[in-house]
Amino acid sequence: MRVGTLTTARRGTAALAVVLLCAGPVHAAPRSAAATATRYEAESATIVRGAAESNHSGYSGTGFVNGDNVVGSYVEFTVDAATAGTARIAVRYSNGTAASRAADIAVGGETVFAAHAFRATADWNTWATSTVTTPVTAGGAVTTGGEGGLLGVAVDPDWSANHYVYFMHTASEGNRVARMTYDGSTLGGYKVLLKGIKKNKYHNGGRLAFGPDGYLYASTGEAQDRDLAQDKNSLNGKVLRMTRDGKAAPGNPFGNHVYSYGHRNPQGLAFDRDGRLWEAEFGDSSKDELNLIQPGRNYGWPICEGICSTAGMTDPKKTWKVSEASPSGIAVVRNVIYMAALRGERLWRVPIDGENLGTPTAYYVGSYGRLRTVTAVPGRDELWLSTTNCDINGKEPPGADELFRVSIT
């Protein structure tokens, strides 16, 4: 294989999304004399490593959030700002300890106040308000302060007739699948096809791929709620199969959108020349996976990570140490799987042998940093390969990411 040339990089914008460790409601308002604050109750927000409780007094709403005093605990609110500018965020909280508790405040995925001090109050029944002012951008598309945002893109198989483009992205209520039409210069006609996919800071999944059957497949993470992966009535921790209008595809094994379940944070999806579906998946701390996806199968999470001896679970066809993979996009060319690795900073080549896989070979190890997406170039024995070094993990400056064309020889 050989690597082509740098093409471009991009940055996104987001609406107001506040992520912080707190106990009470948040008020958000633009800075103008006539502005009216909007109240957001913490117990109705997205809560990670904490719980809504009511065993103290003085709170508003139906309760308060008791956040774990650990790194990674947060509460997230999504606010659609009508116009860009600045906004005040007033956080009502209690801190019955004798010391200040520090928490970051992030807006649109960017930390705007690091280690903001929430000072001690007299006791857990005494409340105080901490107010900050921050810039915001207008819009309804949001990140999650982590791995949310624009997650996946797919082009309709009948592109020449309809010019449809499908997206999976993070929105105010969660992750969703949507469709737009490209008119030759711009995208328009935004239409939501599927909502109700829970979002979180991490484990959103989000890849899209059309199968040879004409249906749209989507990978969804369990949104850091492990039990959702085994819940066949949940859209999270799954590979979904749907029509081009977002309805559950006929023939799905459970009569809903679910095609397979028991997934932690599934990523790349690709079909081989015999119509089999392959999927790359982030493991927890032990093993990353490459799975052959079959309808109705249970892929084990959270009971299993990697090879599993539990009855009823489907084992991956290949596993890696997380330091060698942390897989993202996959593509199939000449009936060989190519898998981009983030933490592993390499491109894996894995030959397909029926329903099994041959010996993996690694390319470009450490040469280009974190590799995010690999896509087959239509009609050619080539790949498009992109880096993701400008994210929070890569820490490179804007404009440092690259898009390569790779020839398979």
Side-chain angles (χ1 to χ4, degrees):
M1 296 186 292
R2 62 180 185 271
V3 178
T5 56
L6 163 68
T7 303
T8 187
R10 67 171 178 83
R11 297 190 72 193
T13 59
L16 177 62
V18 186
V19 183
L20 65 158
L21 174 65
C22 69
V26 164
H27 298 269
R31 291 192 73 187
S32 70
T36 301
T38 302
R39 189 182 188 92
Y40 299 89
E41 294 290 348
E43 69 273 14
S44 301
T46 298
I47 304 168
V48 172
R49 304 194 73 172
E53 297 180 354
S54 58
N55 58 326
H56 295 297
S57 62
Y59 58 83
S60 60
T62 60
F64 60 90
V65 173
N66 184 2
D68 297 344
N69 189 28
V70 295
V71 175
S73 172
Y74 69 89
V75 180
E76 179 184 279
F77 306 84
T78 300
V79 181
D80 290 344
T83 58
T86 58
R88 292 192 307 273
I89 303 171
V91 183
R92 189 166 181 261
Y93 73 96
S94 68
N95 176 7
T97 71
S100 291
R101 294 278 179 86
D104 293 348
I105 299 178
V107 176
E110 300 290 336
T111 299
V112 292
F113 295 95
H116 182 74
F118 291 89
R119 303 186 183 281
T121 57
D123 52 48
W124 292 111
N125 299 312
T126 301
W127 295 76
T129 299
S130 180
T131 302
V132 298
T133 301
T134 179
V136 297
T137 56
V142 302
T143 74
T144 62
E147 296 170 352
L150 177 60
L151 302 169
V153 180
V155 173
D156 196 286
D158 292 330
W159 166 261
S160 60
N162 57 36
H163 284 196
Y164 286 159
V165 186
Y166 299 78
F167 302 93
M168 185 165 172
H169 70 89
T170 305
S172 58
E173 84 292 338
N175 294 319
R176 60 170 68 164
V177 178
R179 187 178 71 204
M180 300 182 75
T181 304
Y182 183 66
D183 66 4
S185 60
T186 59
L187 286 164
Y190 180 89
K191 180 181 180 180
V192 177
L193 302 182
L194 181 64
K195 298 170 63 174
I197 306 168
K198 184 179 177 180
K199 67 176 180 177
N200 214 321
K201 186 173 184 178
Y202 304 112
H203 303 186
N204 291 289
R207 298 304 179 111
L208 298 174
F210 273 97
D213 56 6
Y215 295 117
L216 181 62
Y217 293 73
S219 62
T220 66
E222 33 82 306
Q224 294 181 279
D225 186 343
R226 295 178 171 211
D227 291 342
L228 294 181
Q230 291 295 318
D231 181 355
K232 293 190 285 289
N233 293 313
S234 168
L235 296 174
N236 287 88
K238 308 295 188 296
V239 172
L240 308 177
R241 179 173 173 262
M242 69 194 80
T243 69
R244 300 180 202 188
D245 291 324
K247 297 180 174 60
N252 281 357
F254 308 111
N256 55 16
H257 286 83
V258 175
Y259 190 70
S260 65
Y261 66 108
H263 299 287
R264 180 178 180 267
N265 191 15
Q267 294 289 311
L269 299 172
F271 290 85
D272 66 21
R273 65 186 177 196
D274 294 316
R276 290 179 292 245
L277 176 58
W278 298 89
E279 171 256 11
E281 184 162 339
F282 279 105
D284 186 11
S285 59
S286 176
K287 296 294 182 183
D288 292 325
E289 302 176 354
L290 191 55
N291 291 298
L292 174 61
I293 301 300
Q294 296 177 302
R297 294 287 185 90
N298 183 351
Y299 288 81
W301 181 255
I303 301 161
C304 304
E305 180 183 2
I307 303 299
C308 180
S309 59
T310 302
M313 306 298 175
T314 300
D315 285 339
K317 295 297 183 179
K318 195 67 67 175
T319 64
W320 287 263
K321 297 177 183 177
V322 295
S323 61
E324 296 174 339
S326 295
S328 190
I330 64 173
V332 175
V333 175
R334 292 183 180 175
N335 220 40
V336 172
I337 297 173
Y338 294 88
M339 184 177 79
L342 295 166
R343 185 176 172 187
E345 297 188 352
R346 65 198 74 186
L347 179 68
W348 285 102
R349 178 187 186 275
V350 190
I352 299 171
D353 181 13
E355 294 190 353
N356 296 302
L357 297 173
T359 302
T361 305
Y363 291 85
Y364 316 131
V365 180
S367 297
Y368 304 105
R370 294 161 54 80
L371 301 181
R372 170 68 65 180
T373 294
V374 58
T375 302
V377 178
R380 295 178 178 271
D381 288 342
E382 295 178 341
L383 301 166
W384 285 310
L385 176 66
S386 70
T387 67
T388 182
N389 295 313
C390 297
D391 62 10
I392 192 171
N393 293 305
K395 295 182 172 60
E396 292 293 327
D401 274 321
E402 299 173 293
L403 177 63
F404 299 105
R405 184 188 290 261
V406 180
S407 296
I408 309 299
T409 58

